[in-house]
Amino acid sequence: MKKYILDFRVSENVQLHDNYALLKLTPADGCPLPEMLPGQFVEVRVDRSPSTFLRRPISINFVDYPHNELWLLIRKAGEGTRTLCGLQAGEILNLVLPLGNTFTLPESAQERILLVGGGVGIAPMLYWGKYLKGKGYTPRFLLGFRSDKDLLQYDQFRQFGEVYVSTEDGSLGEKGFVTQHSILNEPFDRLYVCGPKPMMVAVARYARERQLFCEVSLENTMACGVGACLCCVEDTVEGHVCVCKEGPIFNIEKLKWQI
Amino acid sequence: MKKYILDFRVSENVQLHDNYALLKLTPADGCPLPEMLPGQFVEVRVDRSPSTFLRRPISINFVDYPHNELWLLIRKAGEGTRTLCGLQAGEILNLVLPLGNTFTLPESAQERILLVGGGVGIAPMLYWGKYLKGKGYTPRFLLGFRSDKDLLQYDQFRQFGEVYVSTEDGSLGEKGFVTQHSILNEPFDRLYVCGPKPMMVAVARYARERQLFCEVSLENTMACGVGACLCCVEDTVEGHVCVCKEGPIFNIEKLKWQI
Amino acid sequence: MADLNVNIGVLSLKNPVMTASGTFGYGEEFADFIDLSRLGGIIVKGTTLHHREGNPYPRMAETPSGMLNAVGLQNKGVDYFIEHIYPRIKEIDTYFLVNVSGASVEDYVATAEKIAALDRIPAIELNISCPNVKEGGMAFGTSCQSAASVVRAVRAAYPKTLIVKLSPNVTDITEIARAVEAEGADAVSLINTLLGMAIDAQRRRPVLSTVTGGLSGACVKPIALRMVWQTYHAVKIPIVGLGGIMNATDAIEFLLAGASAIEVGTANFIDPQISEKIVDGINEYLEKNHIASVKELIGGLML
Amino acid sequence: MADLNVNIGVLSLKNPVMTASGTFGYGEEFADFIDLSRLGGIIVKGTTLHHREGNPYPRMAETPSGMLNAVGLQNKGVDYFIEHIYPRIKEIDTYFLVNVSGASVEDYVATAEKIAALDRIPAIELNISCPNVKEGGMAFGTSCQSAASVVRAVRAAYPKTLIVKLSPNVTDITEIARAVEAEGADAVSLINTLLGMAIDAQRRRPVLSTVTGGLSGACVKPIALRMVWQTYHAVKIPIVGLGGIMNATDAIEFLLAGASAIEVGTANFIDPQISEKIVDGINEYLEKNHIASVKELIGGLML
Ligand SMILES: Cc1cc2nc3c(=O)[nH]c(=O)nc-3n(C[C@H](O)[C@H](O)[C@H](O)COP(=O)(O)OP(=O)(O)OC[C@H]3O[C@@H](n4cnc5c(N)ncnc54)[C@H](O)[C@@H]3O)c2cc1C
Ligand SMILES: Cc1cc2nc3c(=O)[nH]c(=O)nc-3n(C[C@H](O)[C@H](O)[C@H](O)COP(=O)(O)OP(=O)(O)OC[C@H]3O[C@@H](n4cnc5c(N)ncnc54)[C@H](O)[C@@H]3O)c2cc1C
Ligand SMILES: Cc1cc2nc3c(=O)[nH]c(=O)nc-3n(C[C@H](O)[C@H](O)[C@H](O)COP(=O)(O)O)c2cc1C
Ligand SMILES: Cc1cc2nc3c(=O)[nH]c(=O)nc-3n(C[C@H](O)[C@H](O)[C@H](O)COP(=O)(O)O)c2cc1C
Ligand code: FES
Ligand code: FES
């Protein structure tokens, strides 16, 4: 898949909460967006942020082809993401995209699929959910947050399937971690997961016990984003592979996680 | 004189030309401005400018005590000053001030005084002119620019004395360098000069030939701005002295310039 | 268009801009972004005799105006390179140079010999300066004797252009440069990364799995430039300069300090098109200053 | 308030934060901005036996996340210090340490002896690592023999706390640290500046009058931290860590790597209040993490 370096214009910055922003971006030259697949990410150059030397990897949250808009959902983790969350409509952002692999499509429309997201890890699940629905599958979503104040994009997810919510403090949906949610008592065929590592490990354990197909979206410290520097490796049954190129989506069977 | 580190709020950014901006600043906490003398400068911390590691020295252009405003006149020289010129009203700027020495007052109100500024070197002359006038002296101003398009703050200078203008291309005032201006055929007692080094040297030569009192405002590469690092020395008859502390104003008799 | 051709020994490059080992993969990763044939050369990832898994992760830490890496020469070994990668890249119209690493003199020699057989690889860059491996690597590059011994052995086995990549983690880089020149190196390239470290104060742990790693990026430029300048006055063989080159102005500074060619490393991560932009930028500088050939810049610093 | 007291040999500091020589004048320049008595110590400008004019200007160049300086030990000489400066600063309630430089062993000894007579100066920092002077300076700090010889001579003449400031421009800083430890140094401080260079590509000239200069600031932190960590595992005497400390987190990283105290240098230029803020920041860190004494952080890196 061809990669591009493109300037985007911020068409809207939706301040979702104190700690999150949703950036809606459109190519600065007005050209149509390139093809992007769910699970892929972009590398953002953060201008005017002195402590941010390298680009920052950010998942593709949603691609709105009719409006020619790419969405990025960003959590303030440090200076780079804080700067991104502060961008205003009209400002320019330089992206390298699309990067990485994509999720594996289910084999049949009958499969019972659950997309699990935790915190900002819900980001890739929105586009993936839309994509699945568009291909005739029936995704359901299990979203985990710390509390109701952290809930993100609920209405967007609702467009593409049923949504279940867990919060750690019980302020919304079921109380506890996603793995404690009652929906997991139902049978599933495939799980797709993105979130904090402990959450992904817990879901992977659940999947392994039941021998379910399970793909997770990994993070790593990245420099190039294109498989050139070998900084972002994950240890797999095939040895060290680059999360930015062979990933970020991995089948849990390939990983050497202690689960 | 006590020095401060203070946050200022940009109350107005007057885009004078493509290459210059006038920043009007007021203390962010609303407190009255500290005392500042003509010829002194401030050290500006340039935020959100990755290639600007150190503060930037900028002359005090004007102090408007009634409006509690400090003016900085800034020419785009590189990334730091470009960032400053792009600040918008409401933004915060951190300054260390006031730094350096001041001009020497004439001995009597009868003295014929000429303040000579070239390009952005006119900056300290405005406040100095106002100060002189306030003390009962009669400053006159000779301002040199490349062309009429570079003319800066003419009306402001007019408030404090007669203004003569030279432009290199003759598009305004007399054609040529300031040292070629016909006003220099008149007798003067004191000259105060700030501008590019070749201009200051030329004026210094003129002064020396006539044995006139002449003070120049020097630049140098500065790190601390307070006389601690010894990075900004000028070679004088007293040895290496710091432009930021013993200067920036020097009597030409102290300098070892070849003139 | 100014004349951008430069020579490194008998090797004539179409322009002085190469990409640094370990930062540009095998070139292919950047083919979507630039026209690879516009580069003076591409130096591929550090290659060893045998497959290496490299270090555990985390392997990277960002630092002020730079980064630390602890990749540790992960590569599939020279045979894999010859069988699987070389056939793919050999038609690209630029020079590919192989960066050769080893844990022993014998490893270096065996790897260099295999590379020598490849028609389209006109030169190797001998990496005696990798700070991220336990045996060999930097240890070879930090003493004159060991540097000389590995260069002597490889020189005997490798007939084409031999560039030796020096470590900046030394008291006097000119000594090492002279030692490898005396053993017949055709050129030296400098600098490899500086040994550095990052700590996560909150977790009270090192950031990198290997505790220390190699520092690169804009932050190292002043050091690299000084070393190139010192080495230019110490040896007669050409110098390939690198370390923190982020744009054409930086590249020109290295040429002025005495480099005959330059390599772009970490900058590729921030702007994947930067190497080609640097070729254009050098040309513009020459045209603007009415300089006919880039060769006039080499060592052209006025004191 | 956590316990911030640390010891450097017999010297007990109220907290581990000192200001680095050459970046804080004689403290007075910063008295408008901070309460000097809140600092662990102030290390004054490099002092030599005789008056020195230092290098011609330009003496400074900005670099990515750092700066080069070529001040060249400008100072009025030790006698001037004793007569004119010492009387002014001696009532300030913090320790003043004098950074002693020289062009010969005899110079170092004579200067140290004169300082030894000053009641309120409990320690000197022996600068065998200044890259900006022709004779002496860094040359002493880049070989074990010369480092040992100057320390031996000064140790014999100077009875109070002797801190030796090491140069980072060496292959193995731990060798030098061990050499000066063996001669009776009470502590080592590291790092001094890294030798670097800046070029003005447009004018095709060096930026600094001396061509090369000393690199400091945020950019050098990864290197400094690595050297402190290496040295911590090589010597038993305390280490004073510095190089690129810009905030309290950086300072804590140095303590974790093995420093018993730290010095703030270039950061003073950007925020003249930073040294006092770092004292507060360390205290906050300790309180937040329920650590009773800053001593628990020293060398507390978990592997
Ligand atoms: C494939 C991928 C997709 C991602 N998608 C998103 C997303 O959609 N939305 C989002 O908000 N974040 C996403 N992240 C995480 C995001 O890249 C980091 O939060 C960001 O790089 C932190 O930069 P900073 O300058 O704000 O913080 P820093 O000051 O650099 O670091 C703050 C914290 O974040 C950690 N961190 C720094 N860089 C990375 C990195 N490259 N990867 C992981 N952690 C890092 C640091 O260790 C530190 O703990 C993704 C990361 C990856 C690898
Ligand atoms: C006492 C003093 C008062 C000054 N007053 C003003 C003023 O009122 N208005 C104004 O616009 N400028 C003034 N300057 C000059 C101003 O400080 C520089 O233009 C500015 O530092 C350049 O920063 P930069 O990041 O934009 O450019 P850089 O990219 O840092 O440099 C651009 C060019 O400016 C030169 N330069 C960089 N730093 C300095 C420095 N500290 N002093 C002199 N030249 C430098 C560089 O050599 C280079 O040629 C003053 C300088 C001094 C020393
Ligand atoms: C991620 C990474 C991997 C590297 N791998 C190698 C390598 O395999 N062999 C080598 O000689 N140098 C390697 N280097 C060093 C670079 O080639 C170069 O010498 C160094 O990064 C300094 O240049 P820069 O500042 O332009 O990046 C690597 C550097 C980085 C950042
Ligand atoms: C302008 C300047 C002058 C310095 N003068 C001295 C000096 O006289 N003696 C000395 O030992 N170190 C001197 N140094 C080095 C600093 O004390 C310190 O070791 C170095 O700057 C690294 O720390 P930093 O990165 O925090 O600045 C000087 C540094 C600078 C920037
Ligand atoms: S970030 Fe460079 S290989 Fe993945
Ligand atoms: S800038 Fe530090 S002494 Fe003048």
Side-chain angles (χ1 to χ4, degrees):
Chain A
M1 227 168 134
K2 188 165 155 61
K3 303 184 202 76
Y4 302 84
I5 308 188
L6 290 176
D7 277 342
F8 284 75
R9 190 179 306 280
V10 178
S11 43
E12 195 182 349
N13 177 344
V14 191
Q15 298 285 336
L16 296 179
H17 294 289
D18 280 3
N19 291 321
Y20 298 93
L22 175 68
L23 293 180
K24 299 189 177 180
L25 307 172
T26 185
D29 60 7
C31 288
L33 287 167
E35 196 198 342
M36 287 171 267
L37 295 174
Q40 290 191 301
F41 67 96
V42 303
E43 279 270 17
V44 187
R45 196 184 69 212
V46 188
D47 297 332
R48 296 166 65 78
S49 171
S51 78
T52 311
F53 180 67
L54 297 165
R55 289 176 180 260
R56 292 294 187 260
I58 300 291
S59 303
I60 292 172
N61 174 230
F62 195 70
V63 189
D64 183 348
Y65 285 110
H67 292 97
N68 207 35
E69 272 180 354
L70 165 65
W71 294 11
L72 304 180
L73 181 67
I74 298 171
R75 184 179 70 90
K76 292 178 193 166
E79 196 189 294
T81 45
R82 252 198 308 276
T83 302
L84 293 176
C85 288
L87 286 176
Q88 291 175 3
E91 291 194 75
I92 296 293
L93 207 58
N94 185 273
L95 307 187
V96 178
L97 83 173
L99 301 172
N101 65 353
T102 180
F103 296 105
T104 307
L105 273 176
E107 278 165 21
S108 91
Q110 273 60 56
E111 290 192 38
R112 290 154 305 185
I113 347 174
L114 187 67
L115 279 52
V116 187
V120 76
I122 66 155
M125 295 306 168
L126 186 64
Y127 185 37
W128 179 221
K130 179 208 169 188
Y131 193 90
L132 284 168
K133 182 159 189 233
K135 297 246 180 234
Y137 300 95
T138 311
R140 282 181 281 171
F141 303 95
L142 171 56
L143 310 179
F145 302 101
R146 210 149 296 154
S147 82
D148 59 349
K149 286 200 267 343
D150 299 302
L151 178 75
L152 293 166
Q153 298 191 306
Y154 182 81
D155 293 336
Q156 276 87 350
F157 278 102
R158 284 296 309 270
Q159 298 173 262
F160 308 121
E162 278 173 44
V163 182
Y164 313 96
V165 172
S166 305
T167 53
E168 290 179 31
D169 67 359
S171 52
L172 197 84
E174 294 189 16
K175 182 178 160 83
F177 297 114
V178 286
T179 38
Q180 299 167 303
H181 197 284
S182 59
I183 187 69
L184 288 179
N185 297 327
E186 294 189 18
F188 285 99
D189 300 302
R190 283 181 194 251
L191 302 175
Y192 301 95
V193 198
C194 183
K197 178 106 185 241
M199 183 200 106
M200 292 198 287
V201 171
V203 178
R205 190 179 301 120
Y206 169 93
R208 180 152 314 162
E209 282 162 5
R210 290 162 185 76
Q211 303 218 311
L212 303 181
F213 173 100
C214 177
E215 280 181 344
V216 293
S217 174
L218 299 189
E219 290 206 1
N220 208 308
T221 52
M222 294 186 179
C224 73
V226 298
C229 73
L230 312 186
C231 283
C232 68
V233 291
E234 175 72 23
D235 201 12
T236 70
V237 293
E238 288 150 21
H240 282 145
V241 303
C242 293
V243 171
C244 71
K245 198 177 168 189
E246 273 98 338
I249 313 302
F250 289 90
N251 191 302
I252 57 165
E253 295 311 317
K254 270 192 132 187
L255 302 176
K256 288 209 183 158
W257 287 1
Q258 308 295 335
I259 47 180
Chain B
M1 227 168 135
K2 189 167 155 61
K3 302 184 203 77
Y4 302 84
I5 308 188
L6 290 176
D7 277 341
F8 284 76
R9 191 180 305 280
V10 179
S11 44
E12 195 182 349
N13 177 345
V14 190
Q15 298 286 335
L16 296 179
H17 294 287
D18 279 3
N19 291 321
Y20 298 94
L22 175 67
L23 293 181
K24 300 190 177 179
L25 307 171
T26 186
D29 61 6
C31 289
L33 287 166
E35 195 198 343
M36 287 171 267
L37 295 173
Q40 289 191 303
F41 66 98
V42 303
E43 280 270 16
V44 187
R45 197 184 68 211
V46 188
D47 297 332
R48 296 167 63 79
S49 171
S51 79
T52 311
F53 180 67
L54 297 165
R55 287 175 181 262
R56 293 293 187 259
I58 300 290
S59 302
I60 292 171
N61 174 230
F62 195 70
V63 189
D64 183 347
Y65 286 111
H67 292 97
N68 207 35
E69 272 180 353
L70 164 66
W71 295 9
L72 305 179
L73 181 67
I74 298 170
R75 182 179 70 90
K76 292 177 193 168
E79 195 188 296
T81 46
R82 250 199 307 276
T83 303
L84 293 175
C85 288
L87 286 175
Q88 290 175 4
E91 291 194 73
I92 297 293
L93 207 57
N94 184 272
L95 307 187
V96 178
L97 83 174
L99 302 172
N101 65 355
T102 179
F103 296 104
T104 307
L105 274 176
E107 278 165 20
S108 92
Q110 274 59 57
E111 290 192 39
R112 292 156 302 187
I113 346 174
L114 188 66
L115 279 52
V116 187
V120 76
I122 67 157
M125 295 306 166
L126 185 66
Y127 184 38
W128 179 221
K130 179 208 171 189
Y131 193 90
L132 284 168
K133 183 158 190 235
K135 298 247 179 232
Y137 300 95
T138 311
R140 282 181 283 172
F141 303 96
L142 172 55
L143 310 180
F145 301 101
R146 208 147 300 152
S147 83
D148 58 350
K149 286 199 268 344
D150 299 303
L151 178 74
L152 293 166
Q153 299 190 306
Y154 182 81
D155 294 335
Q156 276 87 350
F157 279 102
R158 285 294 310 268
Q159 299 174 262
F160 308 121
E162 280 170 44
V163 183
Y164 313 96
V165 172
S166 303
T167 52
E168 290 179 32
D169 66 359
S171 52
L172 196 85
E174 294 189 15
K175 182 179 160 83
F177 296 115
V178 286
T179 39
Q180 298 168 304
H181 197 284
S182 59
I183 187 70
L184 288 179
N185 298 327
E186 294 189 20
F188 284 98
D189 300 302
R190 281 181 195 251
L191 302 175
Y192 301 94
V193 199
C194 184
K197 177 107 184 241
M199 184 199 105
M200 293 198 288
V201 171
V203 179
R205 190 180 301 120
Y206 167 94
R208 180 153 316 160
E209 281 162 6
R210 290 162 184 78
Q211 304 218 310
L212 303 181
F213 173 100
C214 178
E215 279 181 345
V216 293
S217 174
L218 299 189
E219 291 207 0
N220 207 306
T221 51
M222 295 186 178
C224 73
V226 298
C229 73
L230 311 185
C231 283
C232 67
V233 292
E234 176 71 23
D235 201 14
T236 72
V237 295
E238 288 151 21
H240 282 145
V241 304
C242 292
V243 171
C244 71
K245 197 177 169 189
E246 274 98 337
I249 314 301
F250 289 90
N251 190 304
I252 57 164
E253 296 310 318
K254 271 191 133 187
L255 301 176
K256 289 209 181 158
W257 286 3
Q258 308 294 336
I259 47 179
Chain C
M1 188 88 185
D3 175 10
L4 293 181
N5 166 263
V6 297
N7 301 315
I8 302 183
V10 297
L11 184 65
S12 169
L13 301 179
K14 64 177 95 168
N15 66 58
V17 182
M18 298 193 281
T19 51
S21 177
T23 68
F24 207 67
Y26 296 100
E28 305 165 306
E29 292 83 351
F30 290 80
D32 282 347
F33 305 118
I34 63 167
D35 175 357
L36 297 175
S37 75
R38 294 216 45 225
L39 298 178
I42 292 172
I43 305 185
V44 305
K45 179 72 204 151
T47 302
T48 50
L49 187 57
H50 304 294
H51 171 104
R52 283 181 60 97
E53 274 297 312
N55 293 317
Y57 63 99
R59 289 183 173 182
M60 199 277 285
E62 197 179 47
T63 68
S65 298
M67 61 175 279
L68 289 163
N69 89 78
V71 171
L73 294 176
Q74 176 176 338
N75 79 104
K76 296 209 156 89
V78 65
D79 292 333
Y80 184 93
F81 173 77
I82 293 171
E83 278 160 50
H84 295 94
I85 298 164
Y86 178 67
R88 290 200 312 253
I89 62 178
K90 73 172 200 256
E91 302 308 333
I92 299 171
D93 179 26
T94 186
Y95 283 124
F96 279 86
L97 282 69
V98 177
N99 179 271
V100 171
S101 275
S104 68
V105 173
E106 295 69 39
D107 283 5
Y108 278 105
V109 171
T111 310
E113 273 174 342
K114 292 188 183 216
I115 302 287
L118 305 179
D119 267 6
R120 306 267 310 148
I121 309 278
I124 58 172
E125 181 179 59
L126 206 66
N127 178 6
I128 57 168
S129 44
C130 180
N132 294 322
V133 291
K134 281 217 188 69
E135 346 67 30
M138 198 173 93
F140 282 110
T142 53
S143 98
C144 291
Q145 288 85 333
S146 55
S149 71
V150 54
V151 173
R152 188 180 316 131
V154 172
R155 177 74 294 176
Y158 185 79
K160 303 192 207 170
T161 302
L162 173 60
I163 305 171
V164 181
K165 186 163 180 184
L166 304 182
S167 171
N169 301 292
V170 294
T171 308
D172 182 359
I173 198 163
T174 66
E175 274 186 7
I176 316 275
R178 275 194 298 259
V180 307
E181 178 182 42
E183 298 297 343
D186 296 306
V188 285
S189 59
L190 53 136
I191 59 175
N192 208 317
T193 53
L194 281 143
L195 196 61
M197 177 171 173
I199 291 176
D200 181 333
Q202 208 43 59
R203 296 174 54 239
R204 286 189 241 171
R205 293 186 185 278
V207 177
L208 299 175
S209 67
T210 47
V211 184
T212 62
L215 184 66
S216 67
C219 57
V220 309
K221 190 186 75 167
I223 300 168
L225 209 49
R226 180 263 295 182
M227 290 187 165
V228 166
W229 184 75
Q230 288 178 320
T231 305
Y232 180 69
H233 292 282
V235 297
K236 293 198 179 58
I237 52 175
I239 296 167
V240 181
L242 74 156
I245 296 179
M246 305 305 285
N247 53 45
T249 306
D250 292 340
I252 291 162
E253 292 169 20
F254 276 81
L255 298 172
L256 291 169
S260 293
I262 60 100
E263 298 177 22
V264 183
T266 304
N268 293 306
F269 305 155
I270 294 160
D271 180 357
Q273 295 173 323
I274 194 65
S275 52
E276 194 175 348
K277 287 182 188 162
I278 290 176
V279 176
D280 293 334
I282 294 175
N283 181 54
E284 260 168 50
Y285 176 93
L286 295 173
E287 289 185 347
K288 214 172 117 193
N289 291 284
H290 310 292
I291 301 170
S293 158
V294 69
K295 292 195 191 95
E296 291 173 44
L297 294 183
I298 299 168
L301 192 71
M302 298 185 285
L303 293 183
Chain D
M1 189 86 185
D3 175 9
L4 292 182
N5 165 264
V6 297
N7 301 316
I8 302 184
V10 299
L11 184 65
S12 168
L13 302 180
K14 64 178 92 166
N15 65 58
V17 182
M18 299 193 281
T19 53
S21 178
T23 67
F24 207 68
Y26 296 101
E28 306 166 306
E29 291 83 350
F30 290 80
D32 282 347
F33 305 118
I34 61 167
D35 175 358
L36 297 175
S37 76
R38 294 217 46 226
L39 297 179
I42 292 173
I43 305 185
V44 306
K45 179 73 205 150
T47 302
T48 50
L49 188 57
H50 304 295
H51 171 105
R52 284 180 59 99
E53 275 297 313
N55 293 317
Y57 64 99
R59 290 182 173 182
M60 198 277 285
E62 196 180 49
T63 67
S65 297
M67 61 176 277
L68 289 163
N69 88 80
V71 171
L73 294 176
Q74 176 176 337
N75 79 103
K76 296 207 156 91
V78 67
D79 292 334
Y80 184 93
F81 172 78
I82 292 171
E83 279 159 48
H84 295 95
I85 297 164
Y86 178 67
R88 290 202 311 254
I89 62 179
K90 72 172 200 253
E91 303 307 334
I92 298 171
D93 179 27
T94 185
Y95 284 125
F96 279 85
L97 283 69
V98 178
N99 180 271
V100 170
S101 274
S104 68
V105 172
E106 295 69 38
D107 283 6
Y108 277 105
V109 170
T111 310
E113 272 173 344
K114 293 188 182 216
I115 301 289
L118 306 178
D119 268 8
R120 305 269 307 150
I121 308 278
I124 58 172
E125 181 179 60
L126 205 68
N127 178 6
I128 57 167
S129 44
C130 179
N132 294 321
V133 292
K134 281 216 187 70
E135 346 67 30
M138 196 173 96
F140 282 110
T142 52
S143 97
C144 292
Q145 289 85 335
S146 56
S149 71
V150 54
V151 174
R152 190 180 314 130
V154 172
R155 176 75 295 176
Y158 186 79
K160 302 191 206 169
T161 301
L162 173 60
I163 304 172
V164 181
K165 186 164 179 183
L166 305 182
S167 170
N169 300 291
V170 294
T171 307
D172 182 0
I173 199 163
T174 66
E175 273 186 9
I176 317 275
R178 275 193 298 256
V180 307
E181 176 181 44
E183 298 298 342
D186 297 305
V188 284
S189 59
L190 54 136
I191 58 174
N192 208 316
T193 53
L194 280 144
L195 196 62
M197 176 174 176
I199 291 177
D200 182 332
Q202 207 44 60
R203 297 174 54 241
R204 286 188 241 170
R205 292 185 187 279
V207 177
L208 300 175
S209 69
T210 46
V211 185
T212 60
L215 185 67
S216 66
C219 58
V220 308
K221 190 186 76 167
I223 300 169
L225 208 51
R226 181 263 296 182
M227 290 185 166
V228 166
W229 184 74
Q230 288 179 320
T231 305
Y232 181 69
H233 293 280
V235 298
K236 292 196 180 58
I237 52 177
I239 296 166
V240 181
L242 75 154
I245 296 178
M246 306 305 286
N247 52 46
T249 306
D250 291 340
I252 291 161
E253 291 169 20
F254 276 81
L255 298 172
L256 291 170
S260 293
I262 61 100
E263 299 178 21
V264 183
T266 303
N268 293 305
F269 306 156
I270 294 160
D271 180 357
Q273 296 174 322
I274 194 67
S275 52
E276 194 174 346
K277 286 182 188 162
I278 290 176
V279 177
D280 293 334
I282 293 174
N283 181 55
E284 259 168 50
Y285 176 93
L286 295 172
E287 289 187 347
K288 214 173 116 195
N289 291 284
H290 310 293
I291 301 171
S293 158
V294 69
K295 292 196 191 93
E296 292 173 44
L297 293 183
I298 300 168
L301 191 70
M302 297 186 285
L303 293 184

